[in-house]
Amino acid sequence: MSKIKPSKGAPYARILGVGGYRPTRVVPNEVILEKIDSSDEWIRSRSGIETRHWAGPEETVAAMSVEASGKALAAAGVDASRIGAVVVSTVSHFSQTPAIATEIADRLGTDKAAAFDISAGCAGFGYGLTLAKGMVVEGSAEYVLVIGVERLSDLTDLEDRATAFLFGDGAGAVVVGPSKEPAIGPTVWGSEGDKAETIKQTVPWDRFRVGDLSTLPLDSEGNVKFPAITQEGQAVFRWAVFEMAKVAQQALDAAGISPDDLDVFIPHQANVRIIDSMVKTLKLPDHVTVARDIRTTGNTSAASIPLAMERLLATGDAKSGDTALVIGFGAGLVYAATVVTLP
């Protein structure tokens, strides 16, 4: 018989507060069109994006995370000293080590909280939320801060007609803590690594360590291009529309609810056409509020779901206690979906 004592965590976990930060600079499609042969009408019709936010020099990954986290802590009524773990999902923190989560935990004033980064692309918030739920229920942390943050403007090739208009910057954070009733459902998650080439970084970082730079891509002026995110748009669209609708339905089934029981749908803000197609495939009733934050925020990868959640609550389009289906999907290809009660 094991001599290990059982964990003394909470019976359930819930999201207690959410916060967001969008950089001050708003970038309209006209700025994007300076580098690519397209039109405002084409960008809006293909993606739904009208504007996006790009971070300035002072709006670092850490700085945006601290701002969003402060709002989430205030909304939850939880002091930073009570945070037991900080989980940060990002692909745009360019120092391999240490994890940016450690700096954020320190700047927030946590009491030596566990802190680590995860790389799960646009599904990163769902991955972090699942880890946080496990920590609260298991008892290794009473409160967990989950952050999705990106400076994707640093990874955007402004001459790539397929992706130049897509990406934005920002940070979203939630505080996860104990609950007396189920408020975060089972997570349906996974990966399809055989499709990894459909969304990827153009060149690996170690290519810049080689003396001969002739194998690296060049811009229109003959300068070596910084690594950027590239994707096969049609392949990603088909996968997201058909496969992710199935995953979303599985998350509903796992939570024991039907589309009629939903109040809110918060999908990853990748493309309005993908969102609308998923709504149709899932046969969501008209009463379900659908997040379309992408119109003014762009695709912020791991930050997109908490940013969309924060905006819906701030505008009154969603309210505390609503039942929401959240699903993230992206590079890897990875995905994560669950049903939550909004804070």
Side-chain angles (χ1 to χ4, degrees):
M1 179 180 293
S2 174
K3 298 180 180 179
I4 300 173
K5 294 181 179 179
S7 300
K8 295 183 179 180
Y12 305 104
R14 70 182 303 118
I15 299 174
L16 299 172
V18 59
Y21 180 82
R22 293 171 174 81
T24 56
R25 183 187 177 192
V26 177
V27 180
N29 289 336
E30 286 73 18
V31 172
I32 307 298
L33 295 173
E34 294 173 4
K35 295 280 188 176
I36 60 172
D37 180 18
S38 188
S39 68
D40 178 63
E41 190 280 330
W42 187 89
I43 293 175
R44 291 179 186 236
S45 65
R46 301 293 290 182
S47 68
I49 299 174
E50 302 166 11
T51 60
R52 73 284 291 146
H53 295 255
W54 283 356
E58 302 302 317
E59 293 169 313
T60 63
V61 166
M64 292 191 293
S65 297
V66 169
E67 290 291 331
S69 298
K71 295 176 183 177
L73 289 165
V78 175
D79 189 85
S81 63
R82 301 184 69 186
I83 294 295
V86 177
V87 182
V88 178
S89 178
T90 185
V91 299
S92 46
H93 170 54
F94 294 146
S95 292
Q96 193 71 36
T97 191
I100 195 62
T102 59
E103 178 182 339
I104 295 166
D106 179 64
R107 289 175 60 172
L108 287 171
T110 68
D111 184 16
K112 300 180 181 179
F116 58 94
D117 299 349
I118 59 175
S119 177
C122 306
F125 175 75
Y127 275 48
L129 186 63
T130 303
L131 295 173
K133 172 187 174 183
M135 283 185 265
V136 171
V137 173
E138 186 270 340
S140 58
E142 183 180 13
Y143 298 100
V144 180
L145 186 62
V146 180
I147 303 167
V149 57
E150 300 293 1
R151 272 183 56 118
L152 293 182
S153 57
D154 292 335
L155 287 168
T156 300
D157 180 354
L158 294 178
E159 296 181 345
D160 181 359
R161 188 175 184 273
T163 61
F165 58 90
L166 284 175
F167 303 118
D169 303 336
V174 298
V175 176
V176 177
S179 174
K180 294 180 179 179
E181 59 184 15
I184 301 176
T187 299
V188 177
W189 57 354
S191 66
E192 297 186 31
D194 59 316
K195 300 179 181 65
E197 291 295 306
T198 56
I199 306 175
K200 64 180 182 179
Q201 183 173 306
T202 49
V203 292
W205 299 111
D206 61 4
R207 289 274 292 277
F208 286 80
R209 192 167 56 184
V210 181
D212 181 12
L213 300 180
S214 62
T215 60
L216 294 172
L218 304 177
D219 63 20
S220 58
E221 297 179 355
N223 300 311
V224 173
K225 285 186 177 183
F226 193 72
I229 298 173
T230 185
Q231 68 176 29
E232 299 173 14
Q234 288 301 313
V236 173
F237 181 87
R238 289 192 298 270
W239 176 78
V241 169
F242 297 108
E243 297 304 319
M244 291 305 97
K246 297 176 186 177
V247 171
Q249 183 61 57
Q250 290 169 11
L252 291 174
D253 294 341
I257 67 173
S258 72
D260 290 336
D261 298 316
L262 277 180
D263 300 303
V264 185
F265 179 43
I266 310 177
H268 165 49
Q269 302 294 292
N271 182 303
V272 164
R273 292 192 303 141
I274 291 175
I275 294 171
D276 291 344
S277 295
M278 291 181 71
V279 168
K280 183 178 180 180
T281 301
L282 288 167
K283 299 180 180 178
L284 297 184
D286 291 340
H287 75 262
V288 176
T289 297
V290 180
R292 293 185 176 87
D293 189 46
I294 188 173
R295 297 190 188 280
T296 56
T297 306
N299 179 344
T300 55
S301 189
S304 77
I305 290 176
L307 278 174
M309 182 184 295
E310 183 262 352
R311 174 159 282 174
L312 288 175
L313 289 168
T315 59
D317 292 318
K319 62 184 185 299
S320 175
D322 278 353
T323 299
L325 169 64
V326 299
I327 179 170
F329 45 85
L333 295 168
V334 295
Y335 54 88
T338 188
V339 176
V340 303
T341 301
L342 293 183

